[in-house]
Amino acid sequence: MTHSQQIQALRERARQHISQGAITPDYQLDREQSIRILNEALATELVCTLRYQFHYFMATGIHSQAVKEEFKEHAHEEQEHAERIAERIKQLGGKPEMNPAMLTDLSHSEYREGNTLAEMIREDLIAERIAVESYREMIRYFGERDPTSRVMMEEILAKEEEHADELTD
């Protein structure tokens, strides 16, 4: 097949199944499995957002102001991650799972509040460590077969590692 014939075949394939948007026949993973995995990441991000917001409002004490601002910033960044993941789920033809009743079941991290500032920081650090390990596994799953999801998860992982580092400090 000549180069121009290959281009013509590509054009014809692009016209087929256009309702599937960005998903073309060469998508190499099980889309339903990819969507399930991304919904777990979405739930993890949403649970983390809520926990950080709760900590922002509940943090008290002499050293709380600087930590509160960190909680607020992290909540905002976790929400941004959730939005990116939800968009990717939609691109893959899936439905982002945002039913509050389902979130704690799907989330890899737990929603633990902590009673003191130190306990709040500890719970957030544990959640970040869970996210780091989970997201590394997801990155391996997506690999070269879904580079868009892989790169997105790599970028989110880098931010989660940064959060863990900040909480450790």
Side-chain angles (χ1 to χ4, degrees), residues 21-147:
I23 301 304
T24 58
D26 66 340
Y27 186 79
Q28 297 179 16
L29 295 173
D30 176 339
R31 274 190 319 121
E32 295 305 314
Q33 177 68 12
S34 295
I35 291 165
R36 277 192 297 277
I37 288 169
L38 289 171
N39 266 316
E40 290 174 10
L42 174 61
T44 301
E45 293 298 322
L46 291 172
V47 166
C48 286
T49 299
L50 293 171
R51 189 184 51 257
Y52 274 125
Q53 286 179 329
F54 176 80
H55 289 167
Y56 169 75
F57 290 113
M58 296 304 293
T60 59
I62 193 166
H63 301 292
S64 66
Q65 196 54 45
V67 177
K68 282 178 71 140
E69 291 307 315
E70 200 70 30
F71 289 157
K72 186 176 187 178
E73 180 183 332
H74 287 196
H76 177 72
E77 290 169 348
E78 301 292 353
Q79 182 62 40
E80 288 176 349
H81 298 166
E83 291 169 9
R84 289 183 68 191
I85 294 167
E87 283 293 330
R88 182 61 181 154
I89 291 168
K90 185 79 171 72
Q91 285 175 347
L92 291 174
K95 175 185 155 245
E97 183 57 69
M98 294 186 174
N99 180 338
M102 300 292 297
L103 292 180
T104 54
D105 290 338
L106 290 173
S107 175
H108 291 193
S109 66
E110 300 170 293
Y111 183 89
R112 293 207 174 168
E113 294 177 350
N115 294 314
T116 66
L117 195 57
E119 288 174 1
M120 291 176 191
I121 293 169
R122 183 177 188 278
E123 291 303 328
D124 289 332
L125 178 55
I126 290 167
E128 295 293 356
R129 290 172 50 81
I130 290 168
V132 164
E133 194 168 334
S134 295
Y135 294 172
R136 283 187 185 139
E137 187 61 35
M138 290 177 191
I139 289 164
R140 282 190 285 277
Y141 170 79
F142 292 121
E144 293 302 315
R145 297 173 298 172
D146 182 346

